[in-house]
Amino acid sequence: MHIEEHKSLKDYNTFNIQATARYFSSIGSIEDLKLALQSNIHPDIFILGGGSNMLLTKNIEALVLHINLKGIKIISEDRNSVVLNVMAGENWHEFVQYCIKNDYGGVENLSLIPGNVGTAPIQNIGAYGAELKDVFLDCNTLSIADQSEKKFTKEECKFAYRNSIFKHQKKGKYIITNVTFKLTKNNHRTIIEYGSIKQELENSNIHHPSIKDISEVIIKIRESKLPNPNEIGNSGSFFKNPTINNIEFEKFYKNFPTAPFYKLSEFEYKIPAGWLIEKSGFKGQRDGDAGVHKNQALVLVNHGNASGKEILELAEKIQTKVKQDFGILIEPEVNIV
Ligand code: EPU
């Protein structure tokens, strides 16, 4: 186990924020992970995955463990499906590409989502009508307190929209070391109804899309709307799409009849935060190096040297204005550290 001190985390968070870790260790094996947790280097432990869903607003006074566990294993397979176990440090999109290459269906709509496999269940990543929970079987974890191993089944994870037990009751208590997925080998259940996927496929004259076609179209759509973190620091959607009840919705709809919305049930409606933020006038705006992306107002960006505090200040300004204009509270999806 190699420990570094005052390590810069700039290359370890997709927002590209400069902050340091008091102690830092990149963890490549379960043995090293146990050793690190048993060490008395620092009383506090901070778990770092792909760094794609956090905003660093200060230096981290803790032992930062960068989870770099690698490997993909086939656990079982039959004619129709395959069960894969994937280590937490595998890059999510590389895993998706591995599935496409082997014609394993179920994650193609989740193409190009930044981050790692081990952090994907924490917020139940989702895009274009698919969510991680649709292919998730279980995950193995290590308890930070006593290093015991515990498996969490899908039910135990309590998945919901951008949410799981690891964001609530079990927050900061377990480290996900690997995840088991069940994917299809034929008769893939393709989802193409969402947004412009169908249109894009038709434009390319594709009538019976393979999972590879779907992945390619989604990559194209994402690249046209979402900034590439390698080019401009960002964490994907900064806010969650808010849910309002039917009474609030009626009032909202009367005032803003052109607003897009998704009806979740008779009593609940989801409003795209990107639309609210755009209508509040923030799309493409910037305060110094902290900005709102020009093509997707839900995404906050670091134009170069913004600090985490500056991004947070911009986020709070947006929250206040959206609340003022629409009476709706939008909440961050990103973890503020
Ligand atoms: N919209 C605007 N202005 C904007 C952005 C969006 O008016 O600046 C409108 C669009 O025109 C559309 C609606 O809002 O009518 C929804 O937009 P979009 O389909 O782009 O999706 P979203 O609700 O903004 C969600 C996810 C994304 C995911 C897409 C596609 C959340 C918080 N975000 O965005 O996830 O890629 O759907 O499934 O649920 C992420 O989590 O990092 C992420 C990018």
Side-chain angles (χ1 to χ4, degrees), residues 93-112:
H93 182 61
E94 283 171 22
F95 165 58
V96 171
Q97 284 177 314
Y98 162 92
C99 293
I100 306 285
K101 199 169 126 220
N102 289 287
D103 201 26
Y104 299 152
V107 286
E108 56 281 358
N109 290 47
L110 305 177
S111 294
L112 215 61

Side-chain angles (χ1 to χ4, degrees), residues 5 37 49 55-56 112 119 132 152 166 201 217 243 283-284 337:
E5 288 193 55
L37 292 174
L55 177 66
L56 293 170
L112 215 61
T119 37
L132 171 112
F152 282 84
F166 300 110
L201 287 166
V217 158
T243 299
K283 195 170 185 170
V337 178

Side-chain angles (χ1 to χ4, degrees), residues 127-128 161-162 194 222 225-226 236-237 239-241 260 262 272 274-275 278 283 296-298 333:
Y128 303 102
Y161 167 64
R162 294 295 196 274
Y194 192 98
R222 285 188 76 102
K225 277 200 203 173
L226 298 167
S237 304
F239 296 99
K240 288 190 269 197
N241 287 331
Y262 318 105
W275 187 88
E278 180 173 345
K283 195 170 185 170
Q296 166 55 290
L298 196 49
E333 177 201 270

Side-chain angles (χ1 to χ4, degrees), residues 176-324:
I176 297 175
T177 53
N178 56 76
V179 183
T180 308
F181 299 95
K182 186 172 183 182
L183 302 162
T184 51
K185 283 174 61 175
N186 47 54
N187 293 326
H188 302 307
R189 287 181 298 273
T190 49
I191 307 168
I192 56 166
E193 306 308 321
Y194 192 98
S196 49
I197 304 177
K198 208 174 189 167
Q199 192 57 51
E200 285 283 346
L201 287 166
E202 273 168 22
N203 293 350
S204 308
N205 235 341
I206 299 170
H207 302 291
H208 300 287
S210 64
I211 57 171
K212 186 163 182 278
D213 294 327
I214 294 177
S215 174
E216 281 171 1
V217 158
I218 284 172
I219 289 173
K220 195 170 150 200
I221 297 172
R222 285 188 76 102
E223 280 178 341
S224 73
K225 277 200 203 173
L226 298 167
N228 179 347
N230 296 327
E231 286 159 19
I232 178 163
N234 76 91
S235 239
S237 304
F238 191 90
F239 296 99
K240 288 190 269 197
N241 287 331
T243 299
I244 55 178
N245 68 34
N246 52 328
I247 298 158
E248 292 164 326
F249 177 73
E250 264 172 44
K251 210 170 119 196
F252 172 79
Y253 192 63
K254 220 158 86 200
N255 291 330
F256 308 102
T258 58
F261 63 89
Y262 318 105
K263 186 173 179 175
L264 300 177
S265 71
E266 214 181 307
F267 306 107
E268 283 189 315
Y269 291 78
K270 197 181 270 183
I271 313 293
W275 187 88
L276 298 171
I277 297 168
E278 180 173 345
K279 293 295 165 201
S280 284
F282 287 102
K283 195 170 185 170
Q285 295 297 309
R286 59 191 279 183
D287 280 350
D289 273 355
V292 179
H293 188 53
K294 60 183 189 336
N295 298 335
Q296 166 55 290
L298 196 49
V299 178
L300 301 192
V301 294
N302 176 5
H303 284 289
N305 291 313
S307 69
K309 279 210 175 85
E310 286 166 332
I311 305 261
L312 185 60
E313 273 162 21
L314 174 61
E316 286 167 353
K317 194 163 133 188
I318 293 170
Q319 253 178 336
T320 307
K321 181 79 171 31
V322 166
K323 181 87 180 133
Q324 237 172 39

Side-chain angles (χ1 to χ4, degrees), residues 42-54:
H42 196 285
D44 296 322
I45 301 283
F46 182 93
I47 304 301
L48 177 64
S52 64
N53 204 39
M54 63 176 195

Side-chain angles (χ1 to χ4, degrees), residues 68-86:
N68 202 19
L69 304 164
K70 299 282 188 191
I72 301 180
K73 259 192 325 222
I74 294 180
I75 301 295
S76 64
E77 64 182 313
D78 57 24
R79 276 189 48 214
N80 300 319
S81 62
V82 60
V83 174
L84 295 177
N85 181 268
V86 188

